[in-house]
Amino acid sequence: MISSAMKAAAALWVNDYLDLYNYAGRIGDTAWQQEIMDILKQKDAYVSEAVRTRKLEELWTTFDSINRKMLELYRELRETNDSWVTERLREQVMELKTERLTVSRKIKAEQA
Protein backbone atom coordinates (compact mmCIF):
# COMPACT_ATOMS: atom_id res chain seq x y z
CA MET A 1 0.00 0.00 0.00
CA ILE A 2 1.33 3.41 -0.94
CA SER A 3 0.75 6.15 1.60
CA SER A 4 -0.49 9.60 0.64
CA ALA A 5 3.00 10.94 1.36
CA MET A 6 4.48 8.47 -1.12
CA LYS A 7 1.82 9.37 -3.70
CA ALA A 8 2.71 13.03 -3.25
CA ALA A 9 6.41 12.21 -3.59
CA ALA A 10 5.70 10.21 -6.75
CA ALA A 11 3.71 13.10 -8.23
CA LEU A 12 6.53 15.50 -7.40
CA TRP A 13 9.03 13.12 -9.02
CA VAL A 14 6.91 12.97 -12.21
CA ASN A 15 6.53 16.76 -12.25
CA ASP A 16 10.28 17.22 -11.90
CA TYR A 17 10.92 14.90 -14.83
CA LEU A 18 8.25 16.61 -16.91
CA ASP A 19 9.97 19.93 -16.21
CA LEU A 20 13.25 18.40 -17.38
CA TYR A 21 11.51 16.99 -20.45
CA ASN A 22 10.14 20.43 -21.32
CA TYR A 23 13.52 22.06 -20.74
CA ALA A 24 15.20 19.48 -22.98
CA GLY A 25 12.62 20.33 -25.64
CA ARG A 26 13.27 24.06 -25.29
CA ILE A 27 17.00 23.58 -25.82
CA GLY A 28 16.38 21.15 -28.67
CA ASP A 29 17.97 18.09 -27.02
CA THR A 30 15.75 15.34 -28.40
CA ALA A 31 18.08 12.57 -27.19
CA TRP A 32 17.73 13.84 -23.62
CA GLN A 33 13.97 14.13 -24.09
CA GLN A 34 13.84 10.49 -25.18
CA GLU A 35 15.95 9.44 -22.20
CA ILE A 36 13.59 11.28 -19.86
CA MET A 37 10.57 9.72 -21.56
CA ASP A 38 12.10 6.25 -21.07
CA ILE A 39 12.57 7.01 -17.37
CA LEU A 40 8.98 8.27 -17.07
CA LYS A 41 7.71 5.06 -18.66
CA GLN A 42 9.38 3.19 -15.81
CA LYS A 43 7.78 5.41 -13.15
CA ASP A 44 6.16 2.52 -11.31
CA ALA A 45 9.48 0.73 -10.91
CA TYR A 46 11.16 3.90 -9.65
CA VAL A 47 8.33 4.63 -7.22
CA SER A 48 8.28 1.01 -5.98
CA GLU A 49 12.01 1.19 -5.31
CA ALA A 50 11.59 4.49 -3.48
CA VAL A 51 8.82 2.99 -1.34
CA ARG A 52 10.98 -0.06 -0.57
CA THR A 53 13.95 2.14 0.31
CA ARG A 54 11.84 4.32 2.60
CA LYS A 55 10.36 1.26 4.30
CA LEU A 56 13.86 -0.12 4.90
CA GLU A 57 14.99 3.21 6.35
CA GLU A 58 12.04 3.18 8.74
CA LEU A 59 12.75 -0.42 9.77
CA TRP A 60 16.42 0.37 10.44
CA THR A 61 15.39 3.41 12.48
CA THR A 62 13.09 1.18 14.53
CA PHE A 63 15.86 -1.40 14.93
CA ASP A 64 18.28 1.28 16.16
CA SER A 65 15.68 2.66 18.55
CA ILE A 66 15.12 -0.79 20.05
CA ASN A 67 18.85 -1.23 20.51
CA ARG A 68 19.12 2.11 22.31
CA LYS A 69 16.26 1.12 24.63
CA MET A 70 17.92 -2.20 25.34
CA LEU A 71 21.22 -0.51 26.18
CA GLU A 72 19.42 1.77 28.60
CA LEU A 73 17.71 -1.21 30.25
CA TYR A 74 21.03 -3.04 30.57
CA ARG A 75 22.50 0.06 32.18
CA GLU A 76 19.60 0.13 34.64
CA LEU A 77 20.08 -3.58 35.34
CA ARG A 78 23.71 -3.00 36.27
CA GLU A 79 22.75 -0.18 38.62
CA THR A 80 19.87 -1.78 40.51
CA ASN A 81 20.00 -4.03 43.52
CA ASP A 82 16.24 -4.48 43.76
CA SER A 83 15.21 -7.99 42.65
CA TRP A 84 11.68 -6.87 41.70
CA VAL A 85 13.08 -4.10 39.48
CA THR A 86 15.62 -6.51 38.02
CA GLU A 87 12.85 -8.93 37.04
CA ARG A 88 10.78 -6.16 35.39
CA LEU A 89 13.82 -4.91 33.48
CA ARG A 90 14.64 -8.41 32.26
CA GLU A 91 11.06 -8.83 31.05
CA GLN A 92 11.33 -5.57 29.15
CA VAL A 93 14.62 -6.68 27.61
CA MET A 94 13.03 -9.94 26.47
CA GLU A 95 10.10 -8.07 24.92
CA LEU A 96 12.53 -5.80 23.09
CA LYS A 97 14.55 -8.78 21.88
CA THR A 98 11.38 -10.29 20.44
CA GLU A 99 10.45 -6.99 18.82
CA ARG A 100 13.98 -6.62 17.41
CA LEU A 101 13.80 -10.12 15.94
CA THR A 102 10.52 -9.25 14.24
CA VAL A 103 12.02 -6.08 12.78
CA SER A 104 15.14 -8.01 11.69
CA ARG A 105 12.97 -10.47 9.79
CA LYS A 106 11.12 -7.62 8.06
CA ILE A 107 14.44 -6.04 7.08
CA LYS A 108 15.66 -9.35 5.69
CA ALA A 109 12.41 -9.81 3.74
CA GLU A 110 12.64 -6.30 2.26
CA GLN A 111 16.26 -6.84 1.23
CA ALA A 112 15.49 -10.14 -0.52
Side-chain angles (χ1 to χ4, degrees):
M1 175 191 282
I2 296 178
S3 69
S4 60
M6 288 308 299
K7 287 180 184 177
L12 182 61
W13 182 88
V14 168
N15 286 337
D16 288 346
Y17 271 89
L18 288 175
D19 289 343
L20 288 173
Y21 180 86
N22 289 332
Y23 177 71
R26 281 196 302 276
I27 64 171
D29 192 336
T30 56
W32 189 24
Q33 272 189 309
Q34 185 57 48
E35 182 181 330
I36 293 167
M37 186 56 64
D38 292 341
I39 290 170
L40 284 167
K41 288 177 183 175
Q42 298 175 31
K43 173 187 76 81
D44 291 340
Y46 282 99
V47 170
S48 293
E49 181 59 23
V51 167
R52 188 182 80 75
T53 299
R54 179 66 182 141
K55 190 173 183 180
L56 270 171
E57 288 170 357
E58 290 172 359
L59 287 168
W60 277 112
T61 298
T62 301
F63 186 87
D64 291 342
S65 175
I66 292 168
N67 280 338
R68 281 191 299 277
K69 289 176 190 173
M70 287 176 66
L71 287 172
E72 178 61 26
L73 291 174
Y74 283 130
R75 184 193 60 74
E76 291 178 33
L77 272 167
R78 282 191 309 273
E79 294 175 358
T80 189
N81 293 321
D82 185 324
S83 62
W84 187 85
V85 171
T86 298
E87 186 58 33
R88 300 291 84 68
L89 291 171
R90 285 184 179 156
E91 288 173 5
Q92 290 176 13
V93 167
M94 289 308 295
E95 289 172 9
L96 287 172
K97 283 183 177 183
T98 301
E99 188 177 341
R100 186 175 64 178
L101 182 60
T102 301
V103 172
S104 294
R105 287 179 178 149
K106 289 179 182 180
I107 289 171
K108 187 175 181 179
E110 284 297 320
Q111 291 177 334

